[in-house]
Amino acid sequence: MTFISRLAAALGFAAAPPTAAERVNWPELPKSRFIVGRPATLEDAKAGNAIFSTNGTGAGAVMLAIPQYVLWSDEQGAKHPMILVQAEKTPDGQTIVGLRDFSGQESVATLPEVELLGTKKPN
C-alpha cells in the first residue's frame, strides 16, 4: 500500500465524487479553508483548513496557485470537477494534493491525476 493510499484510508477517504456532467456550474473559489505556501499541520486538518497533514514528515509545500479549479481523473478515467486546496511533497518526493468537490467532499490525489485549470472559472 502506498503512502497516499495509507493516508487516504487513515483519513477515511474511500468513495469518489460523482462524475462530472457535460456542463459544469463552477462555484466561486473559496476565500478560506485552504493551505498555501507551507505544509499543513494536524491542527489545520482538524480545523478543516487542510485535507491532510504529513505531520512534519513531508518535503514541504508545492508552490501552485491555491485555491484553483481542477479536473481529477479517477481510476476509470472519468473526470470530476473539483477545487485544489492544498499541495505538498511526500517524504518520497511525490506531489499530493487536497481536493474538495462542490458539496464539500474531500479527496487526496497525486498531482498527475489532476488537470490544473487555473483561478478563473472554466467555461
Side-chain angles (χ1 to χ4, degrees):
M1 184 178 273
T2 67
F3 172 79
I4 295 168
S5 299
R6 287 191 313 270
L7 178 64
L11 295 174
F13 302 125
T19 303
E22 285 287 318
R23 183 157 172 83
V24 176
N25 186 17
W26 295 92
E28 295 295 325
L29 288 173
K31 304 260 189 251
S32 62
R33 296 191 62 218
F34 54 86
I35 296 293
V36 63
R38 66 175 176 80
T41 64
L42 289 174
E43 292 76 22
D44 291 324
K46 287 177 187 173
N49 295 320
I51 308 300
F52 62 89
S53 172
T54 59
N55 199 22
T57 64
V62 175
M63 301 316 285
L64 292 173
I66 298 175
Q68 76 167 286
Y69 300 103
V70 300
L71 290 174
W72 168 65
S73 296
D74 67 21
E75 294 81 16
Q76 290 75 40
K79 294 189 178 212
H80 306 272
M82 303 193 74
I83 300 197
L84 177 97
V85 296
Q86 179 182 2
E88 297 186 26
K89 288 271 188 200
T90 63
D92 64 1
Q94 284 191 69
T95 298
I96 55 175
V97 294
L99 306 170
R100 278 198 194 99
D101 72 10
F102 304 160
S103 68
Q105 287 287 101
E106 299 176 336
S107 298
V108 176
T110 62
L111 188 57
E113 294 175 295
V114 298
E115 178 183 345
L116 302 174
L117 301 177
T119 58
K120 293 186 180 179
K121 279 189 185 185
N123 292 329

